[in-house]
Amino acid sequence: MTSAITFTIEERCSFAEGTAFGEAGAYERLTGRAQFWIDPKNWTAPAIIDLEHAPRDAEGAVHFAADLCILKPVEPARGNGRLLFDYGNRGNKRCLQFFNDAPVNNSPLSLADAGNGFLMRRGYSIVWLGWQGDLYPGDGRMLLDAPIATRDGQPITGDLKVEFTVSDPGIRFLPLSGLAVSRSYPTMSLDTKSAQLTRRRYADSKRLPIPSEAWQFARLEQSRAIDGVGQDEAIVASDSHIFLPDGFQQGWIYELIYEAKDPRVLGLGHLAVRDLISLLKHDDPLLGPIEKAYAWGRSQTGRAIRDFVYLGFNADAEGRRVFDGVMPHVAGGGKMWLNHRFANPTLLPGQEYENHDAPVDRFPFAYAWSRDHLSGREDAILKRPDSDPLVIHTDSATEYWQRRASLVHTDTLGRDLPQPQGLRLYLWASSQHYAAANVTKTSHGKALLLQNPVATSAFFRANLDNLDRWASGGEAPPASQIPLLSDGTLVPAAEWRSRFPKIPGLALPRGPSGLELLDYGNAFETEGRITENPPKHSGQHYPILVPQVDRQGHDLAGIRAPMVQAPLGTAVGWNLRRPENGLGALLGITGGYLPFPWSDEEAEQSSDPRQSLLSRYPTAGAYIAAIRRAAEDLVEAGFLLEEDLARTEQLAAIWAADLPLKESDSA
């Protein structure tokens, strides 16, 4: 035996106030800890970076532990025999929020936390496990205690490059990780002469050096002044913080290269997930007989799923398939910055403006076999037929602009790839990366445009039902719905710009920049080797393409949510930064929204080429009816459940109440 797991349940309590959810009956919540053991001497594959440098017990084994939480039917026999593993995003529970339209809560217990009850009514056992070993405790996050790697009792060190951008004024110090929830890799020396700090306006701008005497490895401590007037401040030396006395300037990109120490063996997170799901599926009776196990993750955890499958963790110690089906959402073309020395899995992946050179977007990008024309490598994410899961991969429009989603289904020259039979790919057209279930108003936030309000959570429910029928009885889901080069729905950004409606005063993005081939050494190929960090730049790029649009500016290809089929404005997957934060550059993972002109007169006066609101929907009732028809079409196509027709219509009525439309034809 090369690895093992045990777990203890520390608390068992009634969920949702004992409410019975259809045939599945009442649910209970179990919380506890999982304990893991691995033998580095006999571990061969999949590779876990720095495993040989982890601390060991007297027998030579490595131990680590993680938080565990389960929602399950009180009577397991009444469930559906299916396990849904929610990877959680940065330690946060998310599946109830997106499948059940429930409030955000890392300690779900009340009836309100069950939302619409979808997962419970279906009879799923829902499992969460701490898999990310760089998080600090707080807010109920699920944690994994990852060991720190050392070499012969001495710290392991290496050059580390990190970037910082701030969107608010007055910020003078930051953790070296860039995020308060994520542990930093300490600097070996507090002497800033041993490090290099620069700043630049845009990603491709010249780097401007910041003198070593103008900043410190330090943090601020603040308290109310002794005399009660103002605040006292103390500058405290810190090997895990960067301090600029004059503050970080809004919107500028700061880059720090320093000698870091104490990497954590974060790749053990993949092993933890593998062994827990295998145990619950095959060997432990806690959940009753489990026929199928599925995984769902969005954004960071969608990339974690792709990484998990690619590295071979979907086969357990006996070679059995772990997850029968997986649903990575808004992962784009990335995998995970996890099984890597000095990894920072909490960090947002690289975008036009932020977090460049993070080893997230690296070949292979596609599930299908392809050849990297730059490196000559051939590879695929799905390459182990005996253990590969069925995959339903979904992206919003934002991932095509910021997360290189076109590479999921093209080769590295930008040509359409034939897709494996066990894969479905869906673009959720004209939607943004994060879509709340019940958006009733939209605002600008930090963006130049209003934020994209398109609601898509109902698609999760239909996709899970489709995946279960596929895995259980071989009933294939609807065909993939993605933009293609062959039919002109996937195009270079310049071609997109020429087609997008000429809305007066609207600035358009330049488009996603090409993805550069970077050399990270052999950290992903061989266990425990030192990484090239910062990586070596090749100057060679992969082409990134975007969905082509119709005359209103909506994506031509993909699944159109009701709010896109019956729109009140143009919804896009991109948004732009305000002047103080980098004018013209893409803003994070935020989409945009451009309301239609109200009347034909308004459209003519403003020279807006788009059809007016009143010419589309003369009454509020006409708008609600159009939404209903769109939802019915999606039900027929297999992308929406019957139960979501009423929810969709109710949301439309809320939007209609704020429209400058007549209530009826007679009004």
Side-chain angles (χ1 to χ4, degrees):
M1 180 183 297
T2 57
S3 66
I5 172 179
T6 60
F7 64 84
T8 55
I9 301 301
E10 299 168 351
E11 181 186 48
R12 185 188 296 253
C13 53
S14 177
F15 174 73
E17 301 159 22
T19 299
F21 296 94
E23 294 181 2
Y27 267 65
E28 60 181 348
R29 189 187 74 182
L30 285 59
T31 56
R33 294 278 287 173
Q35 295 82 32
F36 300 90
W37 169 95
I38 181 172
D39 178 6
K41 299 188 299 297
N42 295 310
W43 184 267
T44 55
I48 298 175
I49 300 301
D50 281 333
L51 176 61
E52 73 273 30
H53 299 306
R56 309 183 192 189
D57 66 13
E59 284 74 40
V62 172
H63 296 263
F64 61 104
D67 295 333
L68 174 66
C69 183
I70 296 172
L71 288 180
K72 59 176 281 291
V74 173
E75 301 176 58
R78 298 182 63 177
N80 65 356
R82 271 90 180 122
L83 178 160
L84 177 65
F85 182 71
D86 174 8
Y87 259 86
N89 188 292
R90 295 167 177 85
N92 299 299
K93 300 180 176 72
R94 285 289 180 258
C95 69
L96 296 182
Q97 177 187 356
F98 287 94
F99 285 88
N100 287 26
D101 297 344
V104 177
N105 191 347
N106 278 340
S107 184
L109 193 61
S110 70
L111 180 58
D113 293 328
N116 62 40
F118 170 76
L119 291 174
M120 292 83 195
R121 288 184 281 110
R122 287 295 192 270
Y124 281 93
S125 291
I126 304 164
V127 178
W128 294 278
L129 178 75
W131 61 269
Q132 188 178 335
D134 68 330
L135 295 173
Y136 282 114
D139 296 330
R141 285 184 288 272
M142 305 288 292
L143 307 179
L144 179 139
D145 301 330
I148 294 174
T150 60
R151 183 182 291 109
D152 300 324
Q154 298 300 310
I156 291 176
T157 68
D159 287 341
L160 183 61
K161 182 173 83 169
V162 293
E163 284 188 356
F164 312 97
T165 59
V166 301
S167 56
D168 296 305
I171 295 176
R172 292 191 284 164
F173 77 103
L174 291 167
L176 295 180
S177 68
L179 299 154
V181 301
S182 183
R183 299 177 189 276
S184 299
Y185 293 108
T187 178
M188 277 293 291
S189 171
L190 296 177
D191 184 356
T192 55
K193 293 185 179 66
S194 67
Q196 175 184 324
L197 181 64
T198 62
R199 69 173 192 155
R200 63 193 191 275
R201 192 66 189 89
Y202 293 96
D204 296 330
S205 299
K206 181 180 179 181
R207 288 167 170 80
L208 305 175
I210 298 176
S212 58
E213 63 271 16
W215 64 280
Q216 301 173 51
F217 285 112
R219 70 179 192 275
L220 281 181
E221 292 285 357
Q222 297 176 322
S223 67
R224 191 174 184 84
I226 295 175
D227 59 7
V229 179
Q231 279 190 323
D232 285 335
E233 287 188 348
I235 301 171
V236 181
S238 170
D239 63 4
S240 298
H241 294 82
I242 179 173
F243 171 64
L244 270 69
D246 295 331
F248 292 88
Q249 189 169 345
Q250 273 180 272
W252 284 67
I253 302 170
Y254 290 80
E255 180 181 283
L256 172 67
I257 300 175
Y258 72 102
E259 186 181 11
K261 64 179 180 179
D262 297 343
R264 293 178 180 270
V265 189
L266 297 182
L268 290 171
H270 281 327
L271 174 67
V273 172
R274 186 198 80 165
D275 283 3
L276 174 68
I277 301 306
S278 177
L279 178 72
L280 293 173
K281 186 178 178 183
H282 298 293
D283 301 317
D284 192 282
L286 178 67
L287 306 182
I290 295 296
E291 299 174 26
K292 301 293 179 183
Y294 307 132
W296 172 81
R298 61 170 305 281
S299 192
Q300 179 216 35
T301 51
R303 291 184 285 108
I305 290 173
R306 284 164 53 88
D307 205 48
F308 180 92
V309 173
Y310 170 65
L311 292 174
F313 284 95
N314 205 49
D316 69 8
E318 297 182 28
R320 299 170 298 190
R321 182 178 286 114
V322 177
F323 291 116
D324 300 279
V326 297
M327 297 172 59
H329 179 58
V330 292
K335 296 192 288 295
M336 200 63 209
W337 191 6
L338 183 73
N339 193 28
H340 181 281
R341 182 171 289 175
F342 295 114
N344 186 345
T346 306
L347 199 68
L348 285 172
Q351 299 159 35
E352 182 195 26
Y353 203 78
E354 297 99 339
N355 304 331
H356 305 93
D357 299 349
V360 170
D361 300 325
R362 60 189 189 274
F363 184 83
F365 312 99
Y367 295 92
W369 278 96
S370 65
R371 181 180 181 274
D372 181 355
H373 74 284
L374 297 180
S375 68
R377 290 179 54 203
E378 294 186 6
D379 209 345
I381 292 176
L382 294 177
K383 57 183 178 181
R384 301 175 178 87
D386 291 339
S387 62
D388 283 339
L390 299 172
V391 180
I392 295 181
H393 175 114
T394 51
D395 277 317
S396 77
T398 302
E399 282 66 63
Y400 284 82
W401 286 93
Q402 285 282 55
R403 294 297 311 117
R404 291 96 186 217
S406 63
L407 288 172
V408 175
H409 51 85
T410 68
D411 65 13
T412 60
L413 289 167
R415 301 174 299 194
D416 296 334
L417 272 177
Q419 301 302 324
Q421 289 186 349
L423 171 68
R424 289 294 184 274
L425 301 171
Y426 300 124
L427 161 63
W428 293 358
S430 298
S431 65
Q432 74 170 9
H433 181 88
Y434 175 83
N438 299 304
V439 176
T440 57
K441 293 183 182 297
T442 185
S443 63
H444 287 275
K446 299 285 186 183
L448 198 62
L449 307 180
L450 289 168
Q451 294 187 35
N452 187 318
V454 172
T456 54
S457 68
F459 289 157
F460 288 119
R461 295 186 277 274
N463 271 348
L464 183 57
D465 277 4
N466 288 340
L467 180 63
D468 186 43
R469 285 192 293 267
W470 196 12
S472 301
E475 182 182 342
S480 295
Q481 301 285 327
I482 50 175
L484 298 170
L485 196 72
S486 59
D487 63 11
T489 57
L490 186 69
V491 295
E495 190 172 336
W496 170 88
R497 287 174 61 91
S498 69
R499 178 72 177 267
F500 197 83
K502 304 298 186 291
I503 302 171
L506 175 64
L508 296 179
R510 291 189 307 173
S513 56
L515 172 64
E516 186 177 7
L517 171 66
L518 299 175
D519 180 6
Y520 296 98
N522 53 7
F524 303 107
E525 313 303 324
T526 308
E527 180 180 319
R529 298 295 181 86
I530 293 178
T531 333
E532 290 291 344
N533 199 337
K536 295 176 182 176
H537 288 255
S538 69
Q540 299 175 292
H541 292 79
Y542 304 107
I544 309 298
L545 306 176
V546 297
Q548 185 56 287
V549 294
D550 62 19
R551 293 195 303 172
Q552 306 303 315
H554 287 123
D555 298 337
L556 284 168
I559 305 169
R560 289 188 168 196
M563 292 176 71
V564 178
Q565 292 191 52
L568 300 175
T570 299
V572 295
W574 51 269
N575 211 321
L576 299 175
R577 289 175 167 267
R578 292 175 177 272
E580 66 271 19
N581 280 323
L583 181 64
L586 291 168
L587 177 66
I589 46 179
T590 304
Y593 179 62
L594 300 151
F596 291 139
W598 172 55
S599 64
D600 289 345
E601 291 84 358
E602 186 178 292
E604 183 177 358
Q605 179 67 29
S606 63
S607 300
D608 194 322
R610 298 172 300 161
Q611 185 181 356
S612 71
L613 199 62
L614 279 176
S615 66
R616 294 168 181 270
Y617 320 109
T619 67
Y623 167 66
I624 296 171
I627 288 287
R628 173 81 185 192
R629 288 192 298 272
E632 289 172 341
D633 290 344
L634 288 167
V635 170
E636 185 176 353
F639 296 119
L640 202 70
L641 302 180
E642 288 274 359
E643 69 176 70
D644 281 310
L645 286 174
R647 295 191 188 102
T648 303
E649 198 166 1
Q650 289 165 3
L651 185 59
I654 294 172
W655 280 90
D658 291 332
L659 294 178
L661 303 174
K662 297 181 294 182
E663 293 185 4
S664 66
D665 290 326
S666 60

